[in-house]
Amino acid sequence: MVRYIFRRLVFMLLSLYLIITATFFLMRLAPGNPFTSEKQLPAEIEKALNEHYGLDQPWYVQYGEYLGRIAQWDFGPSFKYKARTVNDLIETGFPVSLALGLEAILIAVSLGVLLGIIAALRHNKWQDYSAMIFAVMGISVPSFIMASVLQYIFSIKLQILPVARWESFAHTILPAVALASTPMAFIARLTRSSMLEVMSNDYIRTAKAKGLSERAITVKHAIRNALLPVVTYLGPLSAGVITGSFVIERIFGIPGLGSHFVTSITNRDYTVIMGVTVFYSIILLTAILLVDIAYGLIDPRIKLSGGRKGE
């Protein structure tokens, strides 16, 4: 296990270096500059700004300095947010996105797994059809459409939940449900198909022949093996949801990291774009590593250390 984690950490660092390099040069190749706007700045002011932020240096000097700052966990200053750094924006925006993401993951996993299990145990019955219709709707309807529908029903018509903002737990319900709708549908379908496959295995039939109850078979034998595809999906899902949804945060006026990222793109705030991209990448790579480790905990037959069978 230790050797496996060490090897994966090395690959993570290599992947992160490639992402940083690609992001840096893509930003340099993008048209315009951070100070491009509808009203053109005087040449003297733009020159002074480039000198202040080091943009007048050769690309290799800027690249080396950026790598050095990243190694010290310093993403640099923001070009558009006055007197603020990218680290400040991440520290203020990420906790909000994290809270929203964790709530959305809890909703998606709990309801998705429950619907999938019910559909598998009641295969080709009305419970199965109902759960899959619900899942298809969740996959088909984009999250921003779901957000608008939820706002219209529960905020405008019924007036039982706030329409937007981030001030109390009630303000988190609608955005969390909208953010969880699509992954919940995927998890429900994954769980159903995996459960159907597991329930057809020989050891399940043997357990039934021994007289075990359906509940004992489902809880002790079927669910654990059926959750492996769901665990695989949770890696990229966690990274995407925990860091926040750009669209959902904009619709509900949530001051999360996704909102800062969208604003940085429209403002050509290169340091924020690069910093948030690197931060997203670290979370994604870490989530994938945790998923691989969880594989070994859920199914001991999986050898993380890369050893031969029987070791």
Side-chain angles (χ1 to χ4, degrees):
M1 175 69 77
V2 175
R3 286 185 299 171
Y4 173 80
I5 295 177
F6 176 77
R7 188 167 63 249
R8 288 303 305 269
L9 288 175
V10 172
F11 284 121
M12 284 176 57
L13 291 176
L14 178 60
S15 301
L16 187 60
Y17 169 74
L18 295 176
I19 292 172
I20 293 172
T21 301
T23 305
F24 177 86
F25 286 106
L26 285 175
M27 288 297 97
R28 293 301 180 272
L29 293 174
N33 60 65
F35 312 115
T36 301
S37 60
E38 295 180 359
K39 183 178 180 181
Q40 187 174 3
L41 293 174
E44 296 81 5
I45 297 179
E46 186 170 347
K47 180 180 178 181
L49 289 173
N50 286 328
E51 291 178 356
H52 176 73
Y53 289 107
L55 299 179
D56 60 334
Q57 299 291 331
W59 66 266
Y60 50 86
V61 175
Q62 297 183 47
Y63 177 64
E65 291 179 351
Y66 187 69
L67 289 179
R69 289 199 305 267
I70 293 295
Q72 302 174 31
W73 198 251
D74 179 12
F75 295 112
S78 170
F79 292 145
K80 295 297 182 178
Y81 293 93
K82 302 302 181 182
R84 297 197 68 182
T85 64
V86 181
N87 293 66
D88 293 336
L89 297 177
I90 292 176
E91 290 173 1
T92 57
F94 179 64
V96 176
S97 297
L98 177 63
L100 175 62
L102 290 176
E103 186 175 346
I105 289 176
L106 179 62
I107 295 173
V109 173
S110 57
L111 293 182
V113 170
L114 179 62
L115 287 175
I117 293 175
I118 293 175
L121 295 179
R122 299 293 181 266
H123 185 46
N124 287 334
K125 296 182 179 179
W126 69 268
Q127 295 95 331
D128 183 16
Y129 299 140
S130 300
M132 288 304 99
I133 290 174
F134 190 74
V136 169
M137 290 179 58
I139 295 174
S140 304
V141 179
S143 59
F144 62 90
I145 298 295
M146 181 65 68
S148 301
V149 171
L150 292 175
Q151 285 178 323
Y152 177 76
I153 296 176
F154 293 99
S155 299
I156 298 176
K157 285 296 184 181
L158 301 179
Q159 296 184 357
I160 59 177
L161 289 173
V163 68
R165 295 301 171 191
W166 187 264
E167 299 174 0
S168 64
F169 176 75
H171 290 80
T172 69
I173 296 176
L174 291 185
V177 172
L179 190 57
S181 59
T182 299
M184 178 182 62
F186 274 112
I187 291 173
R189 292 179 64 87
L190 280 174
T191 305
R192 175 184 180 271
S193 60
S194 184
M195 279 286 295
L196 289 175
E197 181 180 354
V198 169
M199 295 295 289
S200 63
N201 288 337
D202 292 337
Y203 66 90
I204 296 295
R205 288 194 289 267
T206 301
K208 291 180 179 179
K210 289 181 178 180
L212 293 180
S213 64
E214 183 179 10
R215 179 178 180 182
I217 294 173
T218 302
V219 174
K220 294 183 179 181
H221 300 283
I223 292 180
R224 184 172 183 177
N225 293 323
L227 287 181
L228 285 176
V230 177
V231 172
T232 304
Y233 178 63
L234 284 181
L237 169 66
S238 300
V241 173
I242 288 177
T243 50
S245 169
F246 307 152
V247 178
I248 295 298
E249 289 185 3
R250 296 291 287 183
I251 290 176
F252 288 94
I254 299 173
L257 193 57
S259 179
H260 290 318
F261 188 70
V262 173
T263 305
S264 67
I265 294 175
T266 57
N267 290 337
R268 295 187 179 91
D269 200 342
Y270 292 167
T271 51
V272 175
I273 296 173
M274 291 188 293
V276 174
T277 301
V278 172
F279 186 70
Y280 280 177
S281 303
I282 293 173
I283 294 178
L284 176 59
L285 294 172
T286 303
I288 293 175
L289 175 62
L290 294 177
V291 165
D292 290 341
I293 296 175
Y295 255 50
L297 299 177
I298 294 176
D299 191 348
R301 296 172 298 176
I302 298 175
K303 300 294 183 180
L304 295 182
S305 61
R308 296 183 299 272
K309 283 186 177 182
E311 290 185 347

